[in-house]
Amino acid sequence: MIFFTADQHLGHRGIISMQNRPFDSIEEMNRTILTNYNAVVHEDDMVYILGDVCHHMTADAANEMIKKMNGKKYLVSGNHDKKYDPGLFEDVRDFMTVSLNGQYFALMHYPMLSWPKKNNGSIQLHGHIHAKMDYNEQNRKDGILRYDVGVDANNFYPVSVKQIIDFFSTKRMLEEDFD
């Protein structure tokens, strides 16, 4: 399977209060996020991490956390990412486009107003803003094919490509000619 996630902020004590995350400690947050991640992502799965895996950690400590994450990982760098061990990822970029399950995606840490093939039904996936699910629902309602894959918007779990396609799966959203 193929998954997306962002903004774990492993090791970042301040994110708990800043985003009102339901954890009493960094250790509880790290454990929950890693457990949730590994509960759905298996060793042979692909996962696109759209930035900010760790924050306020040394690169060595961050690499140890990343080693605990299942799957073949692709990193789209965020503003808090360090020089992680590149051997932990299949690829590391600032921006990426992929076609998966017949759907074109533009991947970036930051939300974009415009992206490649936007007018042809492509979906832009991002993190950075630590939105809640109502942000994604409002985008869908407004006909905007943009989705925050961050843990704060997705109950601290990665999101599968199927979940995202299903989320936007109305004929009006994905099959209409946007030109």
Side-chain angles (χ1 to χ4, degrees), residues 1-6 46-50 98 100-108 115 121-127 133 135-137 139-140 144-151 153-154 157-171 173-174:
M1 288 197 55
I2 302 165
F3 294 92
F4 303 92
T5 192
M46 291 174 35
V47 61
Y48 293 88
I49 303 172
L50 306 189
V98 293
L100 304 165
N101 294 23
Q103 177 64 49
Y104 191 84
F105 294 92
L107 313 177
M108 189 168 192
W115 54 89
S122 73
I123 299 173
Q124 199 252 322
L125 303 179
H126 66 86
M133 182 50 89
Y135 163 86
N136 292 330
E137 291 166 350
N139 279 342
R140 179 177 61 190
I144 301 168
L145 297 175
R146 184 175 55 227
Y147 190 101
D148 185 339
V149 298
V151 296
N154 297 285
Y157 280 90
V159 184
S160 75
V161 69
K162 182 182 181 328
Q163 286 174 285
I164 293 167
I165 290 171
D166 288 349
F167 182 80
F168 289 116
S169 69
T170 66
K171 288 201 179 292
M173 295 294 294
L174 292 178

Side-chain angles (χ1 to χ4, degrees), residues 58-71:
T58 65
D60 287 342
N63 288 334
E64 288 305 311
M65 293 295 256
I66 294 165
K67 285 178 187 175
K68 295 176 182 178
M69 299 167 77
N70 289 338

Side-chain angles (χ1 to χ4, degrees), residues 3-52:
F3 294 92
F4 303 92
T5 192
D7 298 315
Q8 294 93 340
H9 280 251
L10 299 171
H12 185 193
R13 179 181 310 280
I15 200 71
I16 296 170
S17 59
M18 288 169 32
Q19 296 304 319
N20 198 26
R21 288 185 174 181
F23 306 113
D24 293 325
S25 67
I26 294 172
E27 294 78 17
E28 179 187 6
M29 179 182 74
N30 291 352
R31 184 175 52 254
T32 300
I33 290 172
L34 288 172
T35 297
N36 290 355
Y37 176 101
N38 287 329
V40 296
V41 177
H42 303 290
E43 284 304 319
D44 292 330
D45 292 336
M46 291 174 35
V47 61
Y48 293 88
I49 303 172
L50 306 189
D52 291 359

